[in-house]
C-alpha cells in the first residue's frame, strides 16, 4: 500500500536526520530565530500524504544546508499534514539547532505524550533531557503576588504566575527582561545567561510620585493640545478670511477662496 511505503520513507529520513542534526546544531546555531513554532498538541492532521512527503523532503534539504528556519517551517507543515511523529521529531531538532531549547524540549515531550509507541518517542526521551538541561531560569524576587504585573522577556509577554519568586524560563544567550506595574517605574534587566543557569534577580520598583502621573504634566498631552489649538487657529483664520471676502467693502472681492 502507498501509505506503507511512504511511512517507511519517513522512517528512513528520520534515521538519517536524527544522526546528522546534532552536528548541524553545533555549527549553524546562528540562524534566524523568528519563525514561530505552532502548538501542534491539539491539532488534527489534515492527512494530505503527498504534500506532507514534499514538505518533509524540503525540510531535510533545508537542514542539510543549515537553513534551520526553513527546515522548521517545512517539518511543522509535514507534521500538520500527516501527524507523523518523525516530522515532529525533526522540527524539534531544528528548534534545537536554532538555540530555542525551551521549545525543543516541549516538542520532544509532545512526541513522548502523543506517540509513545513510536521509535521516535524513545529517541525523544534522551533529547528532551538534554534540552531541559540547557534551559536557563530567571527567578524574580520581590514581586507582590497580589498585584498585576506585565513581564516581558526579549520584548515578548511572559505568561508566568507571580509568586514570591516568579520563575521565568529563558534560552541561554544575551537576554533582556522588563517588569511593569501601574504607578511604578519599570524594572529592567539585561545580561548573558549560560546553559542551565539559574539566576535570581532582586526586583525593586520605584513608585512614581502622584503629581507626576497627572495628565497635565504629560508632554504628550501638551503636544496633542498644542496641535489641536494650532489647527483650530488655522481653521478660524480661514473662516474669517472667507467671510471677509464676501463683504462688499473688502478690497479684493474676487472670491478666490
Amino acid at each position: 500500500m502507498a501509505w506503507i511505503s511512504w511511512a517507511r520513507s519517513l522512517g528512513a529520513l528520520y534515521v538519517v536526520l536524527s544522526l546528522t542534526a546534532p552536528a548541524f546544531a553545533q555549527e549553524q546555531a546562528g540562524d534566524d530565530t523568528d519563525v514561530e513554532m505552532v502548538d501542534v498538541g491539539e491539532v488534527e492532521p489534515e492527512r494530505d500524504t503527498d504534500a506532507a512527503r514534499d514538505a518533509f523532503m524540503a525540510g531535510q534539504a533545508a537542514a542539510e544546508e543549515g537553513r534551520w528556519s526553513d527546515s522548521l517551517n517545512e517539518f511543522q507543515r509535514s507534521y500538520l499534514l500527516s501527524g507523523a511523529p518523525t516530522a515532529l521529531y525533526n522540527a524539534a531538532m531544528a528548534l534545537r539547532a536554532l538555540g530555542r531549547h525551551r521549545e525543543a524540549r516541549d516538542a520532544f515531550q509532545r512526541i513522548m505524550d502523543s506517540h509513545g509507541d513510536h521509535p521516535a518517542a524513545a529517541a525523544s526521551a534522551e533529547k528532551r533531557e538534554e534540552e531541559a538541561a540547557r534551559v536557563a531560569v530567571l527567578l524574580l524576587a520581590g514581586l507582590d503576588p497580589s498585584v498585576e504585573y506585565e513581564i516581558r522577556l526579549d520584548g515578548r509577554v511572559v505568561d508566568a504566575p507571580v509568586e514570591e519568586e516568579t520563575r521565568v524560563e529563558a534560552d541561554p544567550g544575551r537576554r533582556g527582561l522588563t517588569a511593569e506595574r501601574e504607578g511604578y517605574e519599570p524594572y529592567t534587566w539585561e545580561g548573558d545567561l549560560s546553559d542551565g543557569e539559574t539566576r535570581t534577580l532582586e526586583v525593586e520598583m520605584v513608585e512614581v510620585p502622584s503629581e507626576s502621573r497627572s495628565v497635565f504634566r504629560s508632554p504628550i498631552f501638551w503636544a496633542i493640545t498644542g496641535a489641536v489649538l494650532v489647527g483650530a487657529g488655522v481653521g478660524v483664520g480661514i473662516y474669517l478670511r472667507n467671510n471677509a471676502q464676501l463683504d462688499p467693502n473688502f478690497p479684493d472681492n474676487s472670491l478666490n477662496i
Side-chain angles (χ1 to χ4, degrees):
M1 297 176 65
W3 71 269
I4 294 178
S5 61
W6 173 64
R8 288 174 179 168
S9 176
L10 287 182
L13 289 173
Y14 153 71
V15 172
V16 172
L17 195 56
S18 66
L19 294 175
T20 59
F24 279 120
Q26 294 174 0
E27 298 171 5
Q28 301 292 340
D31 196 7
D32 176 24
T33 60
D34 290 337
V35 177
E36 183 177 356
M37 178 64 180
V38 177
D39 186 358
V40 297
E42 302 298 329
V43 174
E44 181 65 27
E46 299 178 23
R47 303 298 178 185
D48 186 336
T49 56
D50 290 336
R53 186 190 305 112
D54 291 343
F56 194 99
M57 298 293 289
Q60 184 195 29
E64 289 173 348
E65 295 174 6
R67 295 184 289 108
W68 290 106
S69 293
D70 294 336
S71 176
L72 173 58
N73 271 337
E74 295 297 342
F75 284 130
Q76 280 195 102
R77 181 166 173 264
S78 179
Y79 182 75
L80 294 173
L81 290 170
S82 67
T86 50
L88 182 55
Y89 178 92
N90 287 310
M93 294 299 289
L95 287 167
R96 167 182 167 135
L98 288 166
R100 293 162 62 172
H101 303 294
R102 291 173 297 164
E103 294 169 278
R105 174 201 62 192
D106 295 344
F108 287 126
Q109 184 64 55
R110 282 198 292 271
I111 296 171
M112 296 164 59
D113 293 340
S114 302
H115 308 282
D117 295 333
H118 193 277
S124 295
E126 180 180 357
K127 291 292 188 293
R128 185 211 174 279
E129 294 307 310
E130 292 175 0
E131 295 307 285
R134 300 189 69 176
V135 174
V137 176
L138 292 171
L139 296 177
L140 311 185
L143 300 183
D144 184 349
S146 65
V147 174
E148 184 176 348
Y149 295 86
E150 182 176 85
I151 301 172
R152 291 179 177 269
L153 179 67
D154 297 334
R156 298 183 178 182
V157 175
V158 175
D159 184 16
V162 177
E163 302 172 338
E164 290 186 4
E165 280 193 334
T166 301
R167 179 185 176 90
V168 177
E169 292 186 334
D171 290 318
R174 189 72 178 175
R175 299 288 169 239
L177 179 139
T178 62
E180 296 185 12
R181 172 184 176 181
E182 186 176 358
Y184 286 74
E185 295 287 348
Y187 169 83
T188 61
W189 172 86
E190 185 175 354
D192 295 309
L193 296 172
S194 57
D195 285 9
E197 178 182 359
T198 297
R199 184 179 301 188
T200 299
L201 303 178
E202 295 292 340
V203 180
E204 297 182 359
M205 306 184 76
V206 178
E207 187 173 7
V208 177
S210 57
E211 59 271 14
S212 299
R213 303 179 211 168
S214 171
V215 66
F216 297 108
R217 291 180 174 266
S218 170
I220 297 176
F221 170 80
W222 287 113
I224 295 174
T225 301
V228 170
L229 291 175
V230 169
V234 171
V236 170
I238 293 174
Y239 172 78
L240 293 176
R241 179 176 178 275
N242 291 345
N243 278 345
Q245 292 186 21
L246 293 175
D247 189 336
N249 297 320
F250 191 73
D252 180 9
N253 195 22
S254 60
L255 295 181
N256 292 325
I257 300 173

